[in-house]
Structures are given as structure tokens and as C-alpha cells.
Amino acid sequence: MVPPPEEMLSAGYALEYTYTRSVGPAIGRFLTGLRERRIEGVVGSDGRVIVPPTGYDPQTGETLENFVEVGSAGVVTTWAWVSEPRSNQPLQHPFAWALIKLDGADTALLHAVDAGDESRMSTGMRVRARWREETTGHIRDLACFEPEAA
Amino acid sequence: MRDVAVVSFAQAPNVRNAGAMNEVEILMPVVAQALEKSTLTLQEIGFTCSGSSDYLAGAPFSFVMAIDAIGAWPPISESHVEMDGAWALYEAWVKIQHGAADSALVYSFGKSSPGQIRDVLALQLDPYYMAPLWPDSVSLAALQARALLESSAYGEKDLAEVAARSRRNAQSNPKAQLAGDFDLAALLAEPYLVSPLRKHDCPPITDGASAVVLAAGDLARRICERPAWIRGIDHRIEPHALGVRDLTRSPSTELAGEKAGAAQGPLDLAELHAPFTHQELILRDALGLKEGVEINPSGGALAANPVMAAGLARIGEAASRILSGSANRALAHATSGPCLQQNLVCVLEGE
């Protein structure tokens, strides 16, 4: 006998990976910086400033701990124009993905650039961070970057 | 070092959507065919290793189900890598080198059709700095393509030529998904998908599977008329962060090619796992391939890209030309990760 609906037990089910991860000293420091609208990198074994920072040197594997603040503006080193953004991407109108070498950094950060039109994009152009109104310690505290030239 | 050879290769037809056929159903005839060609039965195989990704099926440990395609009773010695099957082949090769087996069955499969492969591949990225932005696989390749185009003599026409040649070659591959004669000017007149890449610069979305049988020394000679001996095999990886790498080069391919001895003799052909047109140019330069080396006679990943099986298929395609006697020395390459992050090179020779 099937009981009437009001007597049936039910429970919600969300299909998800419910892991909690600790971000550690390098990534944690970077994300905490973002919450305070500050971008930090780390000095690598060869003296290069790596942004975003890694806990270990990408070439030598040495532990890295010398954190330095870098600028929130920089130069586009390569870019790709997205005319049809996908639903989970940072901007929902045409935008550019770019690798951005921030002032004071020697490596580039991946993010979106809100340039309006492809003709405004070029390698070597300067862009600056656009912060979200509310920052939480997440890469998307950087809403995107935008061209420095108005 | 023990002599180890590829003695057989089989692959499923590469299709856009295998529909209701599940992974086991795609794999079963492929594994059966590879075993039949090798003359070995599953119980005679010393070690079995597979490569696939649970992210394609969207279910943890989905690879375990695939074992139904081979049958595991009485018990077999088995392993799996969450990587392209080329790396499963590497594990099997190491196992044979250890003396733990004299033969191995290697298989891999990928059914990309149920999901959005461009988004699924974003999940292989750094989970803090990159994945939360959801940069899709085509966009990341486009960043690399522009870096190459702006720093080299290569132009968009060179990219289109790679696409046209790949799909022309694929006309002689009955298992290819995309084949035909394409006019360069017409290709270049097409709109960008993610600038500077057009649709023809990108791989098709493919469901497929591959299987290879390896055998050592005298066993290989006994069961195979002309084994494709693995003379060198090596794989190397580059840093995770794209902004740390020089995307216009492939130092990991250079090193793997050197360690595998790619330049120690003339090559008849190279099967390169380059899902995007510009990546073939980067790989050709990294391996120092000379004029006269036939590139991707099968059509390569631009003609069929079963994710997780496309790298193993490169080894199988290269080996099959040695097995048939149409080539004597061939290079096979497999890649993994965004923008050619990790690369494997395998050098094969006839006797």
C-alpha cells in the first residue's frame, strides 16, 4: 500500500561534490588580499614576481614565501574575443579573455576585459581592475578589467 | 630495457553523437577487435590499463563500469588513469619494463556528446584562479593562437592550411568524423568562433574509443608479423598557470621528443595530437619535424577528437602504418591539459 502523499517521507537531494578545501598560505593570502582590494604576488626562485602567487616555484619547486604587492592595472600580453559569452562567464555581453601582466609582476593573470568592442582590444594595451561592490576573497572579486584609456 | 611493441590497434567509428550507446557498448567491439588482431585472449593478457575521464560521464568512478566491456572474471590485473589513453599505454609499458607482464591491453574512451565539452574542460583548470571564471577550452586555445600569430611569421592562412590538409587526409580514414576537400579562401572567409580562431581551427566534438595491445620481445615476434617497436617514450609537463608559460613554444614536447630519441633517425610520419590548428605548428617546431615527414595521415584530432582517446589513437594510427609495412619509423604524440600543458612522445619502428 502506498501511503497518502502527506505521510510520505521526503528529503532534498543536491548532486554536488561537498568537499571543503583549505587554500593554504599562498592562495589564501592572494584571496584575502582581493577581499581588501589588494593584489599580491610572490617572488620566485629567479627573482620574478609571480602573480597570482603559487606556494611553490613553477620551475624549481622551491617553497615561496616572499609576498609583494603589485598594481591593479597592467598590460595585455595576449587576448581572445568572445562574441557569444557562455552563461557562467564573467560578462554576459561580448568581451575579451586576456592574460594581463600587472604593474610590478613578471607573469600574467587570466581574466576578462570589458572593452565593448573587439576594435578596442590590442596586445600591449593597458587595462585596470574593476572591483565588485562586495568583495568576499574570491577571484571574482575582480569583476573584470577595463581599458585604461577612456 | 625490454623491447616492447604495439601489435594491434582498433578504434570505434568517430561520431558526433553515439546516441543511446553507452561507453561499454562503444568499447566492446573495439576491445574484441584489438584482441582478435593480436591473437591473444583476455586471459593471456598480463596487464590491462585504461584512460578516461569521469567528468565526461558526470559520475565518479564511471570508469569502473567500463570494465564490463572486457570482462574481469576470472580476476585480471588492471589499472586506470584519469588521463588520455596514451598515458595508460605509458603505464602499461612501464609495467612490462618491470617484468610484471609480457603483454598489455590498453583502452580508452570518451563520450563528449552528453555535456558541454567546452565547459567540462574548464574543470581541469586551477580551481581557485582559473576555473571559477569558466574560461572554455576554445577561448584558452585562442589566447595561445593570438600569442603565436603575433610573435611569429605564421598567419591565419597557415592555420587554415592545417585544417584543410587534416580533413583532406581524413578522406582515406573510414573512422574519421570530418573529412573532405575544403577551399582555403572559403575557410578564411568564415566568421571567428573565438577570435582569432574560426570553427575549422577547432576540433569536432566526438564520441569514440580506441584499444591497443602491447607485447614484449619474443611474444611480439611470435604473434605479429611486423611489430611496431616502441624505441622511445617520454612525457613531460609544464606549469599549471598559463601566464607563467611561453604559450608560443612547447618546451615539454621538445624535452619529451629529445628523451624519446625522435631525432635519432629519419621519420616517415608523425601523428600529432593537436586539437587546434595552431597547436600543430607549435608541435612541428618543438619536434623539429623536417619537410617530407608526413603529418597526420589519419587526419588527426581536427578530423576526430574523442577526448581521452585521441592521444592513444595517435599511437595506434602511427603503429598501424608500421604494422602494415607502409612506414618504417614514426612519431606519435599525445597532449593533455590546456594549451598543450603536458605532452607525450612515442617513437615507433619496424624491424
Side-chain angles (χ1 to χ4, degrees):
Chain A
M1 268 276 290
V2 178
E6 62 270 21
E7 288 174 27
M8 238 188 270
L9 288 174
S10 72
Y13 178 70
L15 179 62
E16 59 186 349
Y17 291 107
T18 53
Y19 303 124
T20 306
R21 289 176 292 200
S22 159
V23 287
I27 296 168
R29 180 149 179 162
F30 177 78
L31 296 178
T32 303
L34 292 183
R35 196 169 61 201
E36 294 156 12
R37 303 187 183 217
R38 187 181 71 243
I39 302 178
E40 285 192 54
V42 71
V43 180
S45 302
D46 54 1
R48 291 196 308 168
V49 175
I50 300 165
V51 181
T54 53
Y56 301 93
D57 188 273
Q59 302 299 335
T60 65
E62 190 187 326
T63 304
L64 302 178
E65 291 164 323
N66 184 10
F67 293 93
V68 289
E69 185 172 350
V70 298
S72 60
V75 169
V76 168
T77 62
T78 185
W79 56 279
W81 187 256
V82 179
S83 46
E84 290 175 32
R86 303 175 77 78
S87 62
N88 37 22
Q89 293 180 338
L91 294 164
Q92 289 305 298
H93 52 265
F95 72 97
W97 288 110
L99 288 174
I100 301 160
K101 197 182 277 188
L102 295 170
D103 297 335
D106 293 298
T107 71
L109 167 92
L110 174 74
H111 222 294
V113 176
D114 189 5
D117 190 85
E118 185 172 5
S119 63
R120 291 190 69 202
M121 288 300 302
S122 62
T123 300
M125 74 184 287
R126 289 193 57 80
V127 292
R128 63 171 171 241
R130 182 193 294 164
W131 296 92
R132 284 167 76 96
E133 259 175 47
E134 197 183 330
T135 56
T136 61
H138 191 271
I139 189 69
R140 288 180 94 149
D141 287 349
L142 290 161
C144 62
F145 283 75
E146 56 193 22
E148 259 191 359
Chain B
M1 296 287 267
R2 299 182 79 191
D3 287 337
V4 179
V6 173
V7 296
S8 74
F9 166 60
Q11 64 180 320
N14 290 287
V15 295
R16 173 63 184 84
N17 188 341
M21 272 180 93
N22 66 24
E23 287 81 348
V24 171
E25 290 166 319
I26 296 172
L27 264 174
M28 275 186 80
V30 177
V31 168
Q33 201 190 345
L35 284 174
E36 189 190 331
K37 283 189 199 171
S38 78
T39 75
L40 298 175
T41 63
L42 185 65
Q43 288 309 313
E44 289 171 310
I45 293 282
F47 180 59
T48 298
C49 197
S50 60
S52 68
S53 173
D54 282 355
Y55 283 81
L56 294 178
F61 294 95
S62 63
F63 66 89
V64 176
M65 262 80 86
I67 295 175
D68 284 347
I70 53 172
W73 185 264
I76 60 169
S77 169
E78 188 268 343
S79 180
H80 174 263
V81 293
E82 186 83 4
M83 306 184 79
D84 187 288
W87 277 266
L89 183 141
Y90 186 86
E91 181 179 336
W93 178 83
V94 170
K95 194 95 170 173
I96 295 173
Q97 290 301 331
H98 281 180
D102 292 328
S103 60
L105 167 67
V106 180
Y107 65 88
S108 61
F109 56 95
K111 198 176 171 192
S112 294
S113 59
Q116 295 291 326
I117 188 66
R118 285 169 67 179
D119 297 330
V120 171
L121 287 173
L123 295 171
Q124 73 182 317
L125 302 169
D126 175 309
Y128 309 105
Y129 295 155
M130 289 200 283
L133 301 172
W134 290 93
D136 59 283
S137 49
V138 174
S139 293
L140 293 182
L143 289 172
Q144 181 180 38
R146 186 179 308 278
L148 180 72
L149 291 171
E150 291 186 351
S151 68
S152 70
Y154 293 125
E156 292 179 13
K157 185 162 169 278
D158 297 299
L159 306 191
E161 275 174 0
V162 170
R165 196 213 58 242
S166 299
R167 286 161 190 171
R168 194 164 56 239
N169 287 355
Q171 288 176 307
S172 58
N173 177 0
K175 299 287 172 70
Q177 180 184 352
L178 270 181
D181 261 317
F182 293 90
D183 177 58
L184 270 191
L187 288 180
L188 287 165
E190 280 181 20
Y192 292 115
L193 181 60
V194 175
S195 150
L197 295 179
R198 297 179 173 86
K199 202 172 174 184
H200 64 251
D201 293 311
C202 306
I205 297 167
T206 310
D207 292 350
S210 281
V212 161
V213 174
L214 299 179
D218 290 342
L219 174 64
R221 288 185 191 92
R222 197 177 76 232
I223 61 175
C224 183
E225 200 176 317
R226 187 178 151 81
W229 297 104
I230 297 173
R231 295 301 187 207
I233 184 166
D234 196 88
H235 65 103
R236 301 282 158 165
I237 193 162
E238 292 170 47
H240 209 136
L242 294 179
V244 168
R245 297 167 49 195
D246 176 357
L247 296 178
T248 67
R249 291 178 50 222
S250 184
S252 53
T253 302
E254 283 172 34
L255 189 56
E258 189 190 313
K259 298 284 180 189
Q264 285 169 15
L267 290 164
D268 297 318
L269 68 101
E271 279 283 339
L272 305 178
H273 182 193
F276 295 89
T277 51
H278 68 278
Q279 294 178 341
E280 183 189 297
L281 303 176
I282 293 172
L283 291 170
R284 267 159 39 184
D285 289 344
L287 292 163
L289 297 181
K290 298 188 176 64
E291 289 284 317
V293 179
E294 193 183 359
I295 309 287
N296 289 349
S298 69
L302 287 160
N305 189 37
V307 172
M308 312 315 281
L312 181 64
R314 303 282 71 71
I315 299 177
E317 289 282 5
S320 66
R321 281 162 178 81
I322 292 172
L323 292 167
S324 73
S326 66
N328 196 49
R329 193 164 185 271
L331 181 148
H333 159 269
T335 196
S336 177
C339 300
L340 304 173
Q341 187 197 359
Q342 184 172 12
N343 296 283
L344 178 148
V345 174
C346 177
V347 176
L348 298 150
E349 262 180 28
E351 229 160 8

